[in-house]
Amino acid sequence: MGLLTKGSPLTWKETVPYVDYIKKHGIAQFINLYHRLRNRQGDQLRWGDEIEYTLVKFDHENKKVTVACRAEEMLNKLQAEEQVNAILGTTNCCLWRPEFGSYMIEGTPGTPYGGLLACFNIVEANMKNRRQVIKKLLKRNEAVMSISFPALGTLGFISPSIKADPNDEDAANSLFFPLDAVFTGHPRFKNLSKNIKSRRGSKVAINVPIYKDKNTKSPYVEDFSGYGARPEDVVDAKPDHIYMDHMGFGMGCCCLQVTFQAVNVDEARWLYDQLTPITPILLALSAATPIFRGKLSNVDSRWDIISASTDDRTPEERGLEPLKDSKWLIDKSRYDSTDCYIYPCSTTYNDIPLQYDEQLYQQLIEGQIDEHLAKHIAHMFIRDPLQVFRERIEQDDEKSTEHFETIQSSNWMNMRFKPPPPDAPEIGWRVEFRPTEVQLTDFENAAYCCFVVLLTRMIISFRLSYLMPISMVTENMKRAQQKDAVLNQKFLFRKGLAACQSAPENLKASGDCHSDGMSTSDIEEMTINEIINGKGDEFPGLISLIRQFLDSADVDVDTRCTIAQYLNFISKRATGEINTLAHWMRDFVGNHPDYKHDSEVNDTIIYDLMVKMNAISNGEEHCTKLLGCYRSKTEHSISSAVRKAEEHMIFQSQKRGH
Ligand code: ADP
Ligand code: MG
Ligand code: MG
């Protein structure tokens, strides 16, 4: 969701004179925050998911499905309820926030989950509950679906129906994406899209390779006159690609994110690094986005589309013109994979040259931030602030972190290192895992979230290291998005098991840093199946490591059963026995009588696809190909007997440990 400050937003032109000022103060705010909270210790594991939902509307008579632009109206009701509960001291089952699209809504659990293993048994029930809460606000023929809508930007894709107007500056002059599809209840989203366009100097250009089916035109060149395009509007459209021109094509897709709290800042930095090489694996394993603007693409995931949809780099920064006014040539968009590890002992694997402003870096060093964290922050600060409010330029750097957050929260990377907020004493250092594609059902979303959190527990418990040169993570992110990456791609991954010699517990002083002694021969190309389920004697596989961790922990029977269902499901997705949603959607389209094998997924096919997917997500139909067979034992709350038993066991094992 990002930072939602209130005030009068500045245009890009109005922001320019303040850019250096905001960066300098953003850095000062980070330094103050860091020193205030760096010694914070002993925070427990807490964690929570964020699911983004799409509101859709079915027109059964005309076999047409659109996105329903009613998020603001629904959020007003949901947030009013939240406030009443806060006053009454009643806990909220879930919390609701706006997202980029006026047809999107983001839901999180009402309070984060705790460290008890029994919490894994209440995640899915909470997600189900969340869906029920929204469903109560739906009108006839509307539905809420945790998907990225495959027909964004087609003619008449929103309801109420309105056509995009390339002359509309507020809609960043898109041919396809009207302002009505952008959430305007807060200026953030409209403003970001306008400012991205202004800073870049042109509309964003998203070109996704088209899937070449047997009847697809070759070269595939589209006629955009039906969208009212003048030739100058489509100069960026590439042949053999699906062309899109607005931030909404990316940020209007839905994601699944997990945030977890670490014991202290060191553990947060270490986990950030250890999870970074896992991000492409989860991206491939969760692939759910094969159709863009009603056309089959040659990729299965939204990642590069969001990346291009937020690419505010100037032509000089993109290397199209020699550097004159811009400071650097920048390889990636501000939405992309991270360029550096941040825990001191991991930094030998940082093999991507980092650009940063020497002055800001010096400011961090003089502010007693260590070299590695300073480089991470300074590198994020090569991006300019895109969201500045006139009333909030002057700030107290001891108290506020808004200037820091405005840049941090618009560096959309696969991982995010989140410092504690200045005004919430209960929240510690956290890390966010961001690549996963949202899944159709609550069962799947719960399975992916629990899998990621269990990975963190397993990695911490066994002190395992998954580090590899960070450029290889960038490479793996590319492979992860390819069509059927789970079945066809290999990923650079560490074979064998390496224990991290320098995990936070063992780190006595920052000088006491051991590299884990890896050489490049320890990296092998492995399939997702090998990474998840193991490769002979060489690598046991992530699932069997998680199972070993669970064997050493005391888990109640129902939770263990639910987790077993999640792990079986993930394991089968990795073998290909169960389809990814992307694969399943391609099969559905391929077998539809209306499909002409020309890559075009017309309104009727989209309608039938959405009807089917809605029935599956509501549990009205079961789809074994997509979900396998499962019976999770998820519960709405942890019974007091289980809670007491688990707390007692934790207490006993802590006593034994001393
Ligand atoms: P973002 O900035 O990514 O939108 P938020 O901070 O709003 O994220 O919340 C993301 C998730 O973090 C939510 O699921 C929420 O439940 C969870 N969360 C809230 N407090 C904590 C905490 N102390 N530790 C870990 N997760 C938390
Ligand atoms: Mg979000
Ligand atoms: Mg988030």
Side-chain angles (χ1 to χ4, degrees):
M1 167 195 72
L3 186 66
L4 293 180
T5 316
K6 297 233 160 69
S8 336
L10 301 188
T11 62
W12 171 243
K13 221 169 139 197
E14 291 165 336
T15 305
V16 171
Y18 299 108
V19 165
D20 289 343
Y21 180 90
I22 285 163
K23 288 191 182 180
K24 192 166 157 221
H25 287 270
I27 295 282
Q29 292 175 357
F30 174 75
I31 295 171
N32 290 336
L33 175 84
Y34 181 81
H35 290 298
R36 214 166 45 240
L37 297 164
R38 81 194 149 100
N39 291 325
R40 203 186 153 107
Q41 290 291 340
D43 281 313
Q44 287 187 4
L45 168 67
R46 285 208 178 150
W47 65 278
D49 64 90
E50 293 166 72
I51 296 184
E52 293 166 2
Y53 300 88
T54 295
L55 302 167
V56 299
K57 185 173 176 188
F58 291 98
D59 174 350
H60 297 297
E61 218 170 291
N62 297 306
K63 287 201 152 214
K64 165 109 178 154
V65 57
T66 49
V67 292
C69 302
R70 290 217 304 122
E72 190 174 353
E73 202 181 318
M74 288 167 72
L75 274 165
N76 287 340
K77 289 194 186 133
L78 293 164
Q79 292 185 328
E81 231 170 275
E82 219 172 86
Q83 279 166 5
V84 171
N85 282 340
I87 294 164
L88 297 175
T90 324
T91 45
N92 284 296
C93 112
C94 35
L95 301 175
W96 300 99
R97 298 290 173 263
E99 252 308 329
F100 188 92
S102 58
Y103 53 85
M104 285 166 87
I105 194 157
E106 176 187 291
T108 66
T111 45
Y113 304 112
L116 295 184
L117 289 164
C119 286
F120 291 116
N121 208 29
I122 59 173
V123 177
E124 189 182 334
N126 184 280
M127 290 174 178
K128 286 194 164 122
N129 216 344
R130 243 181 266 175
R131 229 181 256 269
Q132 291 311 322
V133 169
I134 308 212
K135 276 188 181 165
K136 285 193 192 127
L137 301 180
L138 295 175
K139 292 186 181 162
R140 215 166 79 87
N141 295 332
E142 286 180 343
V144 55
M145 298 175 76
S146 44
I147 56 158
S148 296
F149 190 65
L152 290 180
T154 55
L155 286 169
F157 80 102
I158 69 170
S159 101
S161 177
I162 185 136
K163 205 164 169 257
D165 174 2
N167 296 312
D168 186 352
E169 294 271 331
D170 275 345
N173 303 88
S174 172
L175 287 175
F176 317 103
F177 211 91
L179 184 61
D180 296 59
V182 180
F183 185 88
T184 48
H186 188 279
R188 172 180 168 86
F189 307 105
K190 177 177 92 178
N191 207 37
L192 276 174
S193 29
K194 280 173 71 179
N195 286 354
I196 283 174
K197 175 177 168 256
S198 305
R199 189 183 187 285
R200 177 184 167 92
S202 59
K203 291 199 287 188
V204 290
I206 310 161
N207 282 289
V208 192
I210 188 98
Y211 168 66
K212 283 281 181 89
D213 208 340
K214 59 181 187 226
N215 299 327
T216 309
K217 288 177 288 186
S218 204
Y220 181 82
V221 180
E222 253 191 284
D223 172 10
F224 295 103
S225 55
Y227 294 92
R230 298 155 297 193
E232 63 267 30
D233 291 327
V234 288
V235 283
D236 289 324
K238 290 188 189 163
D240 287 334
H241 286 74
I242 306 163
Y243 170 64
M244 295 170 278
D245 66 350
H246 191 272
M247 187 175 172
F249 282 105
M251 283 294 188
C253 289
C254 293
C255 310
L256 174 65
Q257 298 164 346
V258 189
T259 294
F260 31 86
Q261 181 164 276
V263 174
N264 56 26
V265 62
D266 283 340
E267 189 181 88
R269 288 171 68 170
W270 185 71
L271 271 179
Y272 177 97
D273 293 354
Q274 294 301 336
L275 287 170
T276 294
I278 311 279
T279 51
I281 311 307
L282 264 288
L283 183 60
L285 205 50
S286 62
T289 329
I291 302 170
F292 295 92
R293 210 157 57 66
K295 293 158 204 311
L296 277 175
S297 80
N298 217 23
V299 300
D300 270 0
S301 135
R302 80 216 185 282
W303 188 264
D304 271 359
I305 287 81
I306 315 192
S307 181
S309 85
T310 55
D311 190 355
D312 71 335
R313 289 171 302 162
T314 63
E316 294 176 23
E317 288 169 341
R318 277 178 280 142
L320 302 176
E321 292 170 14
L323 284 178
K324 195 167 105 271
D325 300 320
S326 300
K327 289 186 189 157
W328 304 281
L329 194 64
I330 305 178
D331 268 351
K332 291 177 178 169
S333 155
R334 55 200 296 158
Y335 190 115
D336 212 315
S337 58
T338 174
D339 284 331
C340 63
Y341 295 115
I342 59 176
Y343 185 66
C345 308
S346 327
T347 49
T348 45
Y349 299 108
N350 281 342
D351 62 343
I352 295 181
L354 293 184
Q355 308 86 353
Y356 49 82
D357 182 294
E358 197 53 41
Q359 252 179 342
L360 294 181
Y361 176 68
Q362 279 310 324
Q363 190 187 343
L364 286 154
I365 295 294
E366 281 158 26
Q368 311 289 313
I369 304 295
D370 63 87
E371 174 196 342
H372 309 295
L373 192 54
K375 282 187 179 156
H376 165 70
I377 302 288
H379 182 54
M380 281 205 302
F381 270 64
I382 62 173
R383 312 292 174 175
D384 287 342
L386 292 173
Q387 177 89 318
V388 178
F389 294 96
R390 191 180 310 284
E391 300 81 357
R392 307 206 57 95
I393 291 169
E394 292 303 324
Q395 294 185 6
D396 179 348
D397 292 341
E398 291 286 344
K399 294 202 177 110
S400 174
T401 54
E402 262 174 55
H403 289 331
F404 169 70
E405 278 297 332
T406 195
I407 292 182
Q408 149 104 335
S409 76
S410 58
N411 265 270
W412 296 283
M413 296 185 289
N414 46 350
M415 294 294 300
R416 185 176 285 164
F417 169 65
K418 292 177 168 176
D423 51 357
E426 73 285 6
I427 302 183
W429 295 91
R430 291 148 306 147
V431 170
E432 184 179 23
F433 188 88
R434 301 169 45 83
T436 318
E437 302 240 310
V438 76
Q439 305 294 299
L440 185 59
T441 64
D442 298 318
F443 170 77
E444 294 164 281
N445 285 317
Y448 280 90
C449 290
C450 292
F451 180 70
V452 170
V453 181
L454 281 165
L455 268 180
T456 69
R457 298 308 95 189
M458 180 275 282
I459 292 173
I460 289 178
S461 174
F462 298 156
R463 301 280 158 196
L464 293 181
S465 178
Y466 292 99
L467 299 184
M468 62 174 87
I470 199 144
S471 60
M472 292 185 178
V473 179
T474 302
E475 169 60 25
N476 281 348
M477 286 297 278
K478 291 199 187 101
R479 298 183 187 183
Q481 301 171 58
Q482 301 308 309
K483 178 170 158 289
D484 280 330
V486 170
L487 307 177
N488 304 329
Q489 291 288 323
K490 289 198 167 188
F491 294 82
L492 297 153
F493 207 73
R494 248 179 124 133
K495 67 174 179 186
L497 288 182
C500 179
Q501 303 298 323
S502 314
E505 217 177 56
N506 311 330
L507 193 74
K508 293 174 203 85
S510 52
D512 192 4
C513 205
H514 310 272
S515 161
D516 51 16
M518 189 207 69
S519 74
T520 25
S521 63
D522 294 326
I523 305 277
E524 194 169 279
E525 299 212 315
M526 285 197 245
T527 61
I528 294 283
N529 186 25
E530 289 165 345
I531 294 168
I532 296 291
N533 292 316
K535 186 181 183 195
D537 293 339
E538 283 177 36
F539 185 67
L542 297 176
I543 290 213
S544 100
L545 290 165
I546 290 177
R547 288 198 179 116
Q548 280 179 43
F549 161 74
L550 288 167
D551 288 342
S552 66
D554 291 298
V555 193
D556 68 279
V557 183
D558 283 356
T559 305
R560 184 74 204 237
C561 168
T562 299
I563 293 176
Q565 310 278 334
Y566 294 159
L567 295 181
N568 281 340
F569 161 74
I570 300 267
S571 165
K572 287 184 180 166
R573 275 258 160 103
T575 62
E577 184 182 330
I578 296 180
N579 293 164
T580 60
L581 182 61
H583 186 99
W584 182 89
M585 287 168 78
R586 285 181 191 279
D587 276 357
F588 184 95
V589 173
N591 292 324
H592 194 285
D594 271 18
Y595 180 60
K596 300 193 182 68
H597 294 274
D598 56 357
S599 321
E600 304 288 344
V601 190
N602 67 20
D603 281 356
T604 318
I605 307 175
I606 296 275
Y607 168 86
D608 287 337
L609 179 66
M610 291 293 109
V611 167
K612 181 86 172 171
M613 283 165 69
N614 191 36
I616 297 171
S617 77
N618 284 334
E620 289 153 18
E621 267 187 48
H622 183 78
C623 179
T624 311
K625 256 189 138 7
L626 185 67
L627 305 170
C629 294
Y630 67 87
R631 280 191 64 181
S632 100
K633 294 204 167 177
T634 184
E635 293 274 0
H636 286 284
S637 60
I638 303 174
S639 77
S640 59
V642 168
R643 182 181 294 277
K644 268 198 198 139
E646 199 178 325
E647 280 168 354
H648 179 71
M649 283 184 291
I650 291 170
F651 178 69
Q652 291 295 327
S653 70
Q654 278 170 348
K655 251 187 15 194
R656 277 199 302 275
H658 283 296

